[in-house]
Amino acid sequence: MPTDIPQPSFVLIRPQMGENIGAAARAMWNFGLDRMRITAPRDGWPNPKADAMASGAGRLLDEAQLFDSTEAAVGDCTFVYATTARTRDLTKPVFSPEAAMADAAARVGAGQKVAVLFGPERAGLENADVAVANALITVPVNPEFPSLNLAQCVLLTAYEWRRAQGAGDAMQVGMAGTDWASTAEIAALASHYEERLEEAGFFFPAHKAGSMKLNLRNLWSRMPLTQVDVRMLHGVMRQMVRWKSRGD
């Protein structure tokens, strides 16, 4: 059974190759989507080539809803997006995939039933399909080569849906069992280095010592140090002092 997580339906309009249907199912499930609808697949349904390409997402194909027309496939929906590179002469809102899925997330969250149309591989959606949609999604591709594979377009859109759910930080740091050093820990490290550098005669000439120490403090505060980093740097300085003592 499909998951009970509110989400848009992805509707493949007259898909031609079973392999692309399977790849689209796999792309959908990569990002937690499992509501696939298919209208008039060229090679019939079910399709063993789709099953082979879907890999671990075969459940989506087993549960896919089959329709005879675009109108029937979205008849129960309250808002429909059509993916197309042809946006001229069409008086409809045009979204990027990112903006479209953010809009879709808000609509789904408000209880609306949303669908996204994907056209057949050869030429994309026809004007009659696009006419059913409330808004368009267009990908900012190379204008000299704008054609996207069906599964690629599904993947892009599914990824943006996942991002709209707040999944996946833009950047994160693996802490490897430690935590960020506190201000007090970094201050203690700075004091340790200042004391040892003072003993070594590093702060010379004397009238520049204040600015040199300030520069070092700024250096430490700019570094995103972990507690492990701080302990290691204390150890480095202690070992250097021991090494110098042995040399004497």
Side-chain angles (χ1 to χ4, degrees):
M1 293 290 293
T3 61
D4 58 1
I5 300 171
Q7 59 181 269
S9 296
F10 276 23
V11 187
L12 310 188
I13 305 297
R14 298 181 298 279
Q16 297 170 306
M17 298 178 63
E19 294 90 340
N20 283 335
I21 300 173
R26 185 172 180 174
M28 288 174 62
W29 192 229
N30 280 149
F31 298 102
L33 293 164
D34 62 357
R35 311 286 169 79
M36 175 180 277
R37 299 183 181 188
I38 305 172
T39 73
R42 184 190 66 183
D43 297 335
W45 195 257
N47 188 313
K49 292 182 177 178
D51 290 328
M53 184 61 77
S55 187
R59 177 179 67 79
L60 274 69
L61 302 179
D62 296 337
E63 297 165 355
Q65 296 177 281
L66 195 63
F67 297 88
D68 294 328
S69 67
T70 302
E71 290 82 356
V74 298
D76 64 336
C77 297
T78 55
F79 201 89
V80 178
Y81 305 86
T83 58
T84 179
R86 300 191 300 270
T87 59
R88 292 182 180 179
D89 303 322
L90 296 170
T91 309
K92 295 179 187 288
V94 180
F95 290 92
S96 68
E98 179 181 12
M101 290 302 96
D103 184 67
R107 293 179 183 279
V108 170
Q112 295 188 40
K113 294 194 71 171
V114 171
V116 184
L117 307 181
F118 299 88
E121 297 89 323
R122 184 177 58 84
L125 294 170
E126 296 179 357
N127 288 340
D129 302 313
V130 176
V132 174
N134 303 100
L136 309 179
I137 301 174
T138 188
V139 180
V141 294
N142 176 5
E144 296 182 6
F145 190 58
S147 177
L148 282 176
N149 174 272
L150 170 59
Q152 290 175 324
C153 192
V154 169
L155 180 72
L156 275 170
T157 310
Y159 167 69
E160 293 298 351
W161 167 260
R162 187 75 169 179
R163 288 186 64 211
Q165 306 312 298
D169 296 328
M171 192 279 285
Q172 58 183 345
V173 177
M175 298 304 293
T178 185
D179 204 349
W180 295 114
S182 68
T183 301
E185 288 167 332
I186 293 174
L189 178 67
S191 296
H192 183 191
Y193 271 70
E194 282 182 17
E195 291 167 6
R196 297 296 176 257
L197 290 171
E198 188 84 62
E199 293 172 3
F202 176 78
F203 299 113
F204 180 85
H207 69 276
K208 291 187 177 180
S211 62
M212 293 172 72
K213 290 178 181 179
L214 181 61
N215 286 340
L216 278 172
R217 293 270 174 170
N218 283 328
L219 182 149
W220 294 122
S221 66
R222 286 199 307 271
M223 290 185 183
L225 296 172
T226 67
Q227 293 173 344
V228 169
D229 295 332
V230 168
R231 289 195 293 271
M232 181 188 69
L233 289 168
H234 277 299
V236 167
M237 180 55 78
R238 284 193 293 267
Q239 189 61 28
M240 292 295 290
V241 171
R242 292 192 190 103
W243 172 78
K244 179 64 170 61
S245 299
R246 288 198 298 270
D248 291 343

